[in-house]
Amino acid sequence: MEVLTISLFIFSCSLSAAFSYGIASMAMVFVNKAILMQYAHSMTLLTLQQIATALIIHFGQILGVSKRKDFSMATGRKLLPLSIFYNANVAFALASLKGVNIPMYIAIKRLTPLAVLVAGCLRGKGKPPTQVSLSVICTAAGVLIAALGDFSFDLYGYSMALTSVFFQTMYLILVEKSGAEDGLSSVELMFYNSVLSLPFLFFIIIATGEFPYSLSVLSEKTASLTFSAILLVSLVMGIVLNFTMFWCTIVNSALTTTIVGVLKGVGSTTLGFVLLGGVEVHTLNVTGLVINTFGGVWYSYAKYMQKRKMPKRIAPDVEAHPHK
C-alpha cells in the first residue's frame, strides 16, 4: 500500500510538472498577443518584462527562494553577444504578434530548425539525417501553403516573424559555438540576460521616440483592471515559463519536455483559430498549418531518434533552447 501511494505521488508530480509547463508555454504567446492588441509598444513591454525578471530573481535570492552566483563581469562579457541576439529574437517576435495571427506565428517560428540546418551546412557541419531534412522541408512547405491561404496576410508581421527566426538561429549557433551558457543555471542565465539587455533596450526605446510616450499610454491603460491583470501576468510569464520548463525536465526528462513543447504547439495552433480574433478559415490555410504541425512533430521524433544513436555528450540544439 505504501509503495502504491509513493508511486501515485511520483506520477502526480510528473504529470503536474508536464501539465504546468504545457499551460505556461501555451499561455506565453496568448498573453503577449492579448497585451499587444491593446498596447502596441512592444519594445517598452520587453523592457518592462526584463526589469520584472531581474527584480524577481534579485528579491528571490534575498528571501532565500532562489540561489545564484554573484554577478561576474567576465561571465557578463561572454554572455553579452548571446543577450543581444536573444533579445533581438524576442523583440521581433513581439513586434510580429501585432500583425500576425497566432497559428501563423507558431508556423513561421517552426522554420527555426530549417534555418539552423542551412546555417550548419554553410558552416561545413555535414549533411543532417534524411528524416531531419525531410521534416524541416515539410514544415517549410506548410508555412508557404498556409501563407497563400492567409487572408489576413500582414507583410510587416511576416517580416518581423522571419527576422525573429533569423536572430533565434544566430543565438542558437552562438550558444553551440561559444559554450558561454555552460555551468550556469536557468535562473542565472535569466538574470544575466535581463541585466545585460536593459542598457540596449533603454537606448532603443529612447532613440526611437517610443519613450516616454509609451509610459503615458501605459498609465492610461492600467486604469482598466483587465489590462492590468494581463500585464502583470505578462511581466512574470518569463519566470513562470522557465521554472516550469526546468521542473518538467528535472521531474521527467528532456524528451518529455520536448514532447510537451510539440503538443503545446498543436494546442496553441488549434486555440489560435478561435481566440483573440482567430483566423479566417480557408482550405489552403488549414492544409498548410496541418502540414506544418505534422512537420514539427516529425522533426521532434527525428531528433529524438538521432540523439538515441549519439553519445550522451552532444552539442545543444533547438530543443534544448525553446525560447519565445
Side-chain angles (χ1 to χ4, degrees):
M1 186 67 180
E2 186 177 341
V3 174
L4 178 61
T5 304
I6 294 172
S7 298
L8 287 173
F9 175 74
I10 293 172
F11 174 74
S12 64
C13 283
S14 300
L15 188 63
S16 298
F19 183 76
S20 298
Y21 170 59
I23 294 297
S25 190
M26 280 179 59
M28 189 78 174
V29 176
F30 285 94
V31 168
N32 282 331
K33 176 72 172 179
I35 282 287
L36 291 168
M37 286 175 69
Q38 303 180 59
Y39 182 72
H41 305 287
S42 57
M43 292 305 297
T44 300
L45 177 62
L46 177 56
T47 305
L48 292 173
Q49 288 176 340
Q50 295 293 25
I51 291 173
T53 298
L55 289 176
I56 291 171
I57 293 174
H58 176 68
F59 285 111
Q61 183 186 20
I62 292 175
L63 296 172
V65 177
S66 63
K67 293 182 180 180
R68 65 174 178 84
K69 300 170 187 174
D70 291 334
F71 191 91
S72 164
M73 290 302 294
T75 303
R77 282 194 294 270
K78 285 172 62 180
L79 289 173
L80 182 58
L82 298 180
S83 179
I84 292 172
F85 282 117
Y86 175 82
N87 281 279
N89 161 38
V90 177
F92 283 102
L94 286 174
S96 72
L97 278 171
K98 290 188 284 187
V100 177
N101 59 63
I102 288 176
M104 282 308 305
Y105 167 80
I106 294 169
I108 293 170
K109 290 294 282 183
R110 285 201 189 106
L111 291 176
T112 302
L114 173 62
V116 171
L117 287 183
V118 171
C121 291
L122 293 175
R123 289 164 50 218
K125 286 191 68 175
K127 184 181 177 183
T130 303
Q131 282 210 50
V132 172
S133 299
L134 291 176
S135 64
V136 295
I137 291 171
C138 176
T139 303
V143 172
L144 291 174
I145 294 170
L148 291 173
D150 185 10
F151 289 155
S152 62
F153 180 85
D154 183 285
L155 181 60
Y156 173 82
Y158 271 67
S159 300
M160 294 298 100
L162 289 170
T163 306
S164 172
V165 168
F166 168 77
F167 279 112
Q168 185 174 3
T169 302
M170 295 303 295
Y171 167 79
L172 292 169
I173 291 171
L174 204 56
V175 166
E176 183 179 344
K177 287 186 68 176
S178 68
E181 293 189 346
D182 292 350
L184 294 174
S185 69
S186 177
V187 170
E188 287 168 337
L189 282 171
M190 281 192 291
F191 185 75
Y192 272 103
N193 181 57
S194 298
V195 172
L196 292 171
S197 67
L198 287 175
F200 296 98
L201 292 174
F202 280 128
F203 172 78
I204 290 171
I205 61 175
I206 292 171
T208 58
E210 189 170 305
F211 178 88
Y213 174 71
S214 57
L215 285 187
S216 63
V217 174
L218 185 65
S219 179
E220 294 174 8
K221 291 285 186 181
T222 49
S224 165
L225 186 61
T226 302
F227 178 85
S228 298
I230 298 174
L231 177 63
L232 181 61
V233 173
S234 173
L235 294 180
V236 302
M237 209 64 225
I239 291 284
V240 173
L241 177 60
N242 277 274
F243 171 77
T244 54
M245 182 177 66
F246 181 72
W247 182 29
C248 183
T249 304
I250 293 297
V251 174
N252 296 291
S253 66
L255 174 62
T256 301
T257 303
T258 299
I259 292 172
V260 171
V262 172
L263 294 176
K264 174 269 302 183
V266 176
S268 297
T269 300
T270 305
L271 288 174
F273 274 96
V274 294
L275 296 180
L276 302 179
V279 183
E280 190 172 345
V281 179
H282 185 276
T283 305
L284 273 177
N285 190 244
V286 174
T287 302
L289 289 171
V290 169
I291 293 172
N292 176 268
T293 301
F294 172 75
V297 175
W298 185 10
Y299 174 78
S300 295
Y301 172 77
K303 291 297 289 185
Y304 169 62
M305 296 305 294
Q306 182 185 5
K307 284 181 180 181
R308 286 189 61 182
K309 298 174 184 177
M310 286 184 169
K312 286 189 177 181
R313 178 64 178 173
I314 57 174
D317 59 24
V318 175
E319 284 87 7
H321 300 270
H323 296 295
K324 295 180 188 177

